[in-house]
Amino acid sequence: MVGFLNRNDVLIKNFGKFVDKHTERVVQHAKDYAAKFNRPYSEVKFGQRKEELAQKIADKDQITDGLVCVFWAMETGRDLPSRRMVLPHRCRNPLPLGAGACKRQPTKGRRR
């Protein structure tokens, strides 16, 4: 994750804004795609089976080929273990060659 953020010039403090911006783009693209083909953009709730829902829509609308619908779901992440992102320390101040190394030693992440 850290490498991805570094490649995209995203600071950890700006991660939320970065994710929100890209989430909005993806959601809008999905809505536009469904609208382009005049297909429903539907929420899938926890426990619902997407294949069964899609089959019902296809049967109702007599679709045998092509896009049936676009589903979306809210993933809460409640089943994922809670982990704190720990970033490795790197010396950020450039030193001339032979001037010494970074004085601060990397620290291990503390568990709460």
Side-chain angles (χ1 to χ4, degrees):
M1 176 59 87
V2 175
F4 172 79
L5 295 176
N6 285 337
R7 283 189 303 277
N8 287 282
D9 295 323
V10 177
L11 300 175
I12 297 297
K13 68 179 186 175
N14 298 330
F15 180 71
K17 291 177 188 174
F18 175 81
V19 170
D20 289 344
K21 175 181 142 187
H22 289 282
T23 299
E24 289 173 18
R25 281 185 43 220
V26 170
V27 167
Q28 190 57 54
H29 177 74
K31 287 179 178 179
D32 292 345
Y33 195 78
K36 177 181 176 181
F37 293 98
N38 197 29
R39 302 309 312 143
Y41 177 80
S42 304
E43 179 181 13
V44 177
K45 297 197 188 308
F46 181 76
Q48 289 183 309
R49 299 183 59 83
K50 293 184 281 283
E51 183 144 353
E52 290 173 7
L53 292 171
Q55 189 62 54
K56 285 180 186 177
I57 293 169
D59 292 344
K60 183 183 77 146
D61 294 347
Q62 300 176 350
I63 296 175
T64 58
D65 190 33
L67 183 66
V68 174
C69 60
V70 176
F71 289 132
W72 69 273
M74 180 62 70
E75 298 290 340
T76 61
R78 65 176 174 231
D79 296 333
L80 300 175
S82 177
R83 292 192 182 144
R84 211 173 122 207
M85 188 183 300
V86 178
L87 302 178
H89 169 73
R90 291 193 182 104
C91 189
R92 300 284 184 223
N93 49 344
L95 299 172
L97 290 175
C102 185
K103 302 280 187 219
R104 184 174 166 209
Q105 295 297 317
T107 58
K108 296 194 180 219
R110 288 181 247 140
R111 292 189 177 253
R112 291 184 181 198

